[in-house]
Amino acid sequence: MYWLNDGTGFKTLKIKDNYAFSTLTAYTKMISNSKIDCSWMDICIGTLHQNNLNNQSMEDFHDRLTFIQTYLTKAYGIMIDFTDAKFKTMEINTTIELNSSFKSYHRVLRILMRNLPSRFPKYYEAYEDNRLKQMRIPNGFYCYNQSMTVKIYDKSGYSKTNYMRLEFGLKTSKKVKESFGSNQIYHITDNMIAAYFTKQFMKLFYHSYQRWYESNQRYLSKLLRKHKRINATYWKRNLLNECSDLEQRNTLPVLLDIEDLLKVVKDHDHNRHYARDKRAFYSYEQWHSVYFQHDSQKAREVLDKIHKICYPPSI
């Protein structure tokens, strides 16, 4: 029990604030026959009065805690000490501006997320409405396991500008400590957070996409040889049809961009027919327009913009 000056008491206190913080919960629990006072606070970068489009530095976050201390005393008569406070969970993210609408990147982002390693066994996509769900155009992609989540989602709601966010969520205090060597708030620095984000991005996305691209080029080469062997006249049409059928069946692109296929065609061009083959492939655009949306360029745009944040150019 928590006892007040007037003799009354309570076992649990829960305050939903949504101004300086989201929620504060205080309670007691028994550990090895000893009563332990516990509390946790949910602090988001944004509140009802401020969006969370921009990240905070740890110095800003420490200032935020100082403000919350003063605010709690004035607003609720509660005194709190953050000296030994620990992170229970963390969300580490970056936001980039896209050249086009988030929805136009859905095939690219699906490849990036579906190529995450098997230690993220759970995957789902979020949709704004049923119409977009039927069209398989999500506004968010999510992979997770028991200790970590990986998210890519649309952040354009706060602005007319097209924004995308990549986020790594550490779901347990154990995972935070494993990632930084400590889960104490005042032990974790901006440099540690930046290094962690960079490591995860390079491993899970940047290098992973390059491996997928190289593997995909080999797979397209195999399809090309197969269809040339089966039908030397209509091999281009049949190849595109198979790529389309596979994507519909597996909801995952086999051919991301016509330019990726044309690179393979050029590598196999031993009779100087490349220019003719290229014109023939472009003649199928009206039936296979999805391959003519410059999705390969969009993939490079997303990866290069985040890479530039991880490794800013020297001045």
Side-chain angles (χ1 to χ4, degrees):
M1 292 286 290
Y2 285 91
W3 297 103
L4 304 178
N5 291 336
D6 62 3
T8 61
F10 57 87
K11 291 184 178 179
T12 303
L13 171 68
K14 187 172 185 178
I15 299 173
K16 293 184 178 181
D17 182 77
N18 291 328
Y19 172 68
F21 58 92
S22 296
T23 305
L24 168 65
T25 302
Y27 57 97
T28 59
K29 64 179 180 180
M30 298 297 295
I31 299 179
S32 301
N33 296 322
S34 298
K35 186 183 77 168
I36 305 297
D37 294 333
C38 304
S39 64
W40 61 268
M41 179 178 286
D42 184 12
I43 303 175
C44 299
I45 299 303
T47 66
L48 289 177
H49 307 277
Q50 180 185 12
N51 69 53
N52 68 343
L53 194 58
N54 297 315
N55 292 337
Q56 282 187 338
S57 67
M58 285 306 294
E59 182 179 357
D60 292 336
F61 187 67
H62 296 164
D63 291 342
R64 176 86 174 271
L65 296 182
T66 301
F67 170 77
I68 290 173
Q69 281 181 304
T70 304
Y71 173 80
L72 277 170
T73 302
K74 291 182 178 179
Y76 300 102
I78 295 173
M79 297 182 68
I80 193 167
D81 182 4
F82 287 113
T83 302
D84 296 317
K86 300 175 180 179
F87 283 113
K88 186 176 181 180
T89 63
M90 286 184 73
E91 292 179 347
I92 304 168
N93 58 56
T94 195
T95 305
I96 60 171
E97 181 179 340
L98 300 173
N99 294 340
S100 304
S101 70
F102 181 88
K103 295 179 180 64
S104 70
Y105 291 74
H106 70 96
R107 297 176 72 245
V108 171
L109 300 178
R110 187 173 283 119
I111 283 177
L112 292 178
M113 291 295 283
R114 293 276 290 272
N115 275 289
L116 290 181
S118 58
R119 63 188 175 94
F120 296 99
K122 305 294 185 179
Y123 170 83
Y124 73 95
E125 299 174 355
Y127 296 86
E128 288 183 8
D129 53 49
N130 288 330
R131 179 182 63 86
L132 291 176
K133 188 172 184 178
Q134 291 173 353
M135 296 169 63
R136 293 175 178 166
I137 303 178
N139 66 332
F141 302 82
Y142 304 84
C143 282
Y144 61 97
N145 54 33
Q146 290 185 334
S147 62
M148 186 175 174
T149 59
V150 182
K151 309 176 187 179
I152 292 180
Y153 54 98
D154 190 359
K155 283 296 290 184
S156 306
Y158 291 116
S159 171
K160 294 180 180 179
T161 308
N162 299 307
Y163 287 118
M164 185 208 90
R165 174 164 288 178
L166 169 62
E167 182 171 293
F168 302 117
L170 309 181
K171 298 166 63 175
T172 66
S173 57
K174 181 180 178 181
K175 184 63 178 178
V176 176
K177 188 172 184 178
E178 173 190 306
S179 302
F180 298 105
S182 172
N183 62 343
Q184 289 195 300
I185 288 175
Y186 290 96
H187 290 180
I188 297 176
T189 66
D190 289 332
N191 288 339
M192 294 166 66
I193 293 172
Y196 177 82
F197 182 92
T198 297
K199 179 181 178 181
Q200 297 302 317
F201 166 71
M202 295 300 291
K203 178 173 60 176
L204 298 179
F205 291 100
Y206 198 85
H207 296 314
S208 178
Y209 177 77
Q210 186 60 36
R211 288 192 297 271
W212 173 87
Y213 180 82
E214 293 168 359
S215 174
N216 183 249
Q217 288 281 287
R218 292 191 294 270
Y219 184 70
L220 292 176
S221 178
K222 182 179 178 181
L223 286 181
L224 183 148
R225 291 194 302 271
K226 181 184 83 169
H227 285 288
K228 273 190 171 183
R229 184 176 65 252
I230 293 173
N231 191 317
T233 303
Y234 296 109
W235 67 270
K236 304 174 193 67
R237 181 196 65 185
N238 295 341
L239 193 161
L240 291 175
N241 285 341
E242 181 173 0
C243 288
S244 180
D245 290 343
L246 288 170
E247 183 168 352
Q248 288 295 317
R249 192 182 313 152
N250 301 319
T251 67
L252 187 65
V254 172
L255 173 59
L256 184 60
D257 191 311
I258 193 65
E259 295 299 324
D260 296 341
L261 178 57
L262 289 176
K263 289 179 182 178
V264 175
V265 172
K266 193 169 187 177
D267 289 340
H268 286 265
D269 180 32
H270 305 300
N271 300 312
R272 298 184 179 180
H273 293 161
Y274 174 72
R276 184 187 68 186
D277 290 341
K278 181 177 180 179
R279 287 194 300 271
F281 274 113
Y282 269 83
S283 71
Y284 292 108
E285 181 175 359
Q286 60 180 314
W287 296 286
H288 296 282
S289 59
V290 70
Y291 303 133
F292 295 82
Q293 300 176 146
H294 309 292
D295 280 347
S296 243
Q297 290 182 23
K298 291 173 184 172
R300 290 297 351 153
E301 175 203 343
V302 169
L303 293 171
D304 289 346
K305 283 182 174 179
I306 299 177
H307 187 272
K308 193 173 181 178
I309 292 172
C310 294
Y311 298 99
S314 302
I315 299 176

